[in-house]
Amino acid sequence: MRSLILGSFRNKSAVSILIVMVLGLGIFSYFKLPMEFLPEADNPQVTVSVIGPGYDAASMEQSVTNPLEQALAGIKGKSNVFSSSGDGYAQVNLDFESGTDMKEAKQEVERAVNAVQLPEHVSPPYVVQFNTSMIPISFVTLTFNDGVTEAQKEQLEQTVSDRFRDIDGAGEVQLSGKTQPKITITPDPDKLAAKGVPLQALYGVLQGRQASASVGQSTIGGQIVNLNVSGSLSGIDALKALPAAPGVALSDIAEVALADDKESVNRIDGKDALMLVVSKSASANAVKVGDGVDKAIKELNAEHPEINLRVMLSTSEQVVHSVNSMMREVLMGALFATIVILLFMRNIRATLVTIVSIPLSLGMTLYLLDMSGITLNILTLGGVAVAVGRLVDDSIVVIENIFRRLQKEKFSIDVVVDATREVSRAITASTLTTVAVFLPMGLLRGSLQDFLLPFALTVTYSLLSSLIVALTVVPLLSAGVLKKASIKEHLPSKRFMAFLNWNLRFKWVPILIAFVLLAGSVGTYIAMPKGALDQSSASMVNVSLSYKPDTPLDQVLDNGKKLEAFLMNRKEQEWVNMSMGNSSDSARYGSVQSPTLVTYMMQIKKGENAQHVIDAIQAERPNYPGADLTAGTSSLLGGGGGTQVFIDVTGNDLNQISKTSEEVIAAIKPIKNVLKVESNQDEKKTVYTLKVDASAAKAGDISSQLQSLLNEVPIGTINAGGQLLSVNLEPTLKPASEDDLNKLTVMTDNGPQVVSSLAQWDKEELPTQFYHKDGKSYVRVTATVDPEQLSTAGDDIDEALKKITPPDGVKLNVGGAEADQSADFASLFMMMLVSIGIVYLIMVVTFKTLRAPIAILSSLLFVPIGAVLGLIIAGITPDFTAIFGIVMLVGVVVTNAIVLIDRVRQNETRMSIRESLIEAAATRMRPILMTAIATICAMLPLVFGSTESGSIVSQSLAVVVIGGLAVATLLTLVIVPCIYELLFFRKSAIQRREAGSEVNSAV
């Protein structure tokens, strides 16, 4: 280590150039690094979505879900297959094992589902594999001025979409709420009968009317010419004039009209609007793509005054805000650390030398992040915010030791080098132990690793950089600025030395008190409810209005507009977006929902209270009978933190599963903090099934005929107003009662017959949702719980389920937010144990003994005291990030103990153990307090600032780190010496007896 320190003195010019290069590379990397909201992480899941308007849940299950599941049975690497079938949609989710190549998995799924023959009027299967880079950059609304024709709208929609796709770095551009004009032909049964025209004649009314073909070539006028045949219908009037039969025009027997057809409804501020969602490509800079969208909107609005494009929500703005707020907190943390150092050292030159480690370490960190292919996001910036207080720790210990030596000795390069070498082992070991805490993050599997690894690498790069700076740059600068400095000698506190001496004499008293406090804090923590990770943003409110599946869609839409008007009248709203129904564009992204569900996004004005809005919305529930009205704050990633517990009842017998699920609902409904309990079998819908006698008629023929009679049938296309429109024959039959169903007439081999003579209609009440796991049906019971009492309610639910004895073959599987939270907590605790093992190994290698590291690790025992105390004072419920804060403290707290014990081990060569402990604690008290207070002050902006949605660096993490470090530091100076002497009690006792004998003999 001495050679490394001396090397910086022998190559001052090279070190100076390296300093400039590191700062320059850091600045260059900062502007070069891609900025995004979250690090790129693959979700090990592939989703297949299909929409089938008009199909009930049972039909979707039998005709769509089951064939898809059979086709996907042979996919390699899948761990589970879950599916859901509802009215008008089906979705299959394939979970894959960690480490699976998800691009290859997606391609294999696409090949499998594309080979499946699906029923008519059902969309093709849409396959999507999610990645965090697919988080939308901009949500843009498009509205048209009055007077714009449908053909012009279609052309403008294409122009806008193409312009967005041309943006550098842009990925997918999703368009929803699009109008699809069509021409409808509605037959009049009375006029058909009067004119003697059969309905079947209308199916072929467009057949052969339009053509464009080459029929050959001929020699005319001495030259070869091509011969073509062309015929087309242009406009709705031409369609009306078409003959449906000799002497009978189409308009004589049917109504021909232009109609608007929408796959889904999308409205902004009470007006129909199109929604464009722009995503970025995998390696693109989110901020640059967002700027490109803003620029394109300005240009398009100027070029096309008939349209109005408006950015409704921009995640790129959120990224910029995240970067700026985190950088502000980093600078505030650095400022606090500077003030602390100045107050302790009372020397501006020494303070400046110490602070130089922050920009150098950050510059090196940014360059290494760039080289590692890691982006600048809220997690990497969070790593910097957490590490900034720790960046000066090594430099503080070095400069303090140099400062202390120069108070007693004459300045020389050898003194500076020797003072640095004296603490080099301690700061190297402490830095490596902190780094070791983050290494086990590589053991975590799945998306948790994808999120924590960039954070861990950022902290690792920062700390290793600060260690190099402390061992090379700090001694070099100290030699320059302290050469002629006048430094007063700093004497250790005699009161503290006397206090520590008393504690060492009666060591069982402080140790017992500390362990009583530890037991109390652990008990308090166990009793404290654990909350869900709060991802909500008070600037956004999500509202949903859900009706039963058998509710007419017109009624749902009318009530949806009524609630929309109420939301728009709220003074807190900046804009309100309403959407309803499924669309092919949404299905491409795995988004399918009930047709009777209306959802709203409401942007809250800055400074307004979102909770007041939520309370007002919930008070409106009586005005919407038969509907489920919910509201809550929403995060940028869509939806608030998960607070639902799922109990999946699986087995082979659906009747047994249903009965068991009813027992589960009855058992958990009375539980406190459970707000709502429901299952997918609660919602039922009336379904009529025609049971055909196979000996009397062909079920397939009857099915095809009834499908044509009861649903619109496309019969061709025509060109109208420069736009290609679909021509659909509307259903002629609209049965309104069971009697009407029985009177339906179909063609058979024996001629026309009423269906009641061939078959019987069976009326059933069937669920509107069906769930499968690995091809087998199951019932899902969903319990919505109080977010603040998630773990408590989860434990109560577990206890209630233990009292239920399911039949043979039926199993209860608990999942959802509480199970996910438990898995996350278990992963972090396992990671903490591995970290402690690695830390102990490093210290054994450093100190060449097994017992001294045990004394250092004892400082960890008292982390919970301060952490729980901090949570109680702040009134914060511990969540995932609070537990992560405990894991971080493993590396931070042992740093102080290492600096203390390293001095003790050096003293033992010339002093007794007790003398070594008292001298080391008195000498190292100043650097220990300085490093601890600097770290605490650097974390303060995270406590009082606003943390970003989805960030692991939350207020609860900062509170835990501050509380745990503050208490552990104070106890380190007292309890660690007591435990150290206890571990070497025989040797210490012998030394004290020998010292007492020498004193007696001298007397």
Side-chain angles (χ1 to χ4, degrees), residues 51 53 142-144 150 153 157 175-182 184 259-268 270-275 553-554 557 561 564 578-585 595 712 728:
I51 52 177
L142 169 61
T143 55
F144 300 96
E150 293 298 330
K153 286 181 181 179
E157 288 165 10
L175 180 66
S176 59
K178 186 177 179 180
T179 303
Q180 295 179 320
K182 62 179 180 180
T184 59
D260 282 341
D261 185 24
K262 282 188 175 183
E263 284 187 306
S264 59
V265 175
N266 192 75
R267 291 162 62 86
I268 182 74
K271 295 180 181 178
D272 288 336
L274 296 176
M275 174 76 78
L553 295 181
D554 291 341
L557 183 58
K561 289 180 178 178
E564 178 190 49
M578 167 185 161
S579 59
M580 171 184 164
N582 290 314
S583 69
S584 56
D585 279 313
E712 66 176 19
N728 294 343

Side-chain angles (χ1 to χ4, degrees), residues 531-641:
L533 177 59
D534 183 13
Q535 294 183 328
S536 64
S537 168
S539 62
M540 186 75 67
V541 170
N542 269 3
V543 184
S544 67
L545 182 68
S546 178
Y547 280 89
K548 291 183 178 180
D550 56 359
T551 309
L553 295 181
D554 291 341
Q555 180 184 335
V556 176
L557 183 58
D558 290 343
N559 285 326
K561 289 180 178 178
K562 175 184 170 184
L563 181 58
E564 178 190 49
F566 170 78
L567 297 176
M568 287 176 59
N569 287 331
R570 296 292 305 181
K571 65 180 180 62
E572 298 94 343
Q573 64 89 14
E574 192 168 317
W575 51 257
V576 176
N577 171 243
M578 167 185 161
S579 59
M580 171 184 164
N582 290 314
S583 69
S584 56
D585 279 313
S586 297
R588 284 189 179 94
Y589 287 86
S591 175
V592 289
Q593 63 184 32
S594 168
T596 56
L597 172 66
V598 188
T599 58
Y600 306 84
M601 279 197 303
M602 184 177 182
Q603 179 74 32
I604 304 298
K605 291 178 182 177
K606 193 171 183 179
E608 296 289 349
N609 191 323
Q611 190 59 47
H612 291 168
V613 178
I614 293 170
D615 293 341
I617 294 169
Q618 291 173 342
E620 285 291 301
R621 285 173 178 167
N623 297 328
Y624 299 89
D628 187 10
L629 177 59
T630 60
T633 53
S634 163
S635 75
L636 194 63
L637 306 179

Side-chain angles (χ1 to χ4, degrees), residues 749-772:
D749 294 339
N750 299 323
Q753 294 188 35
V754 292
V755 295
S756 58
S757 65
L758 307 168
Q760 181 179 352
W761 288 100
D762 280 358
K763 181 181 177 182
E764 297 176 282
E765 295 293 324
L766 296 178
T768 57
Q769 281 188 318
F770 293 92
Y771 289 122
H772 290 179

Side-chain angles (χ1 to χ4, degrees), residues 386 390 433-434 437-438 832 835-836 839 856-857 859-868 881-896 935-936 939 956-969:
V386 167
R390 183 67 180 76
T433 53
T434 309
V437 170
F438 296 95
M832 184 168 63
S835 299
I836 292 171
V839 167
I856 293 171
L857 286 179
S859 60
L860 296 177
L861 292 173
F862 311 111
V863 165
I865 299 173
V868 173
T881 62
I883 306 301
F884 188 76
I886 296 286
V887 176
M888 285 178 52
L889 281 171
V890 173
V892 177
V893 167
V894 296
T895 299
N896 294 330
T935 303
I936 289 170
M939 295 291 284
S956 59
L957 178 142
V959 167
V960 164
V961 171
I962 290 172
L965 182 57
V967 173
T969 299

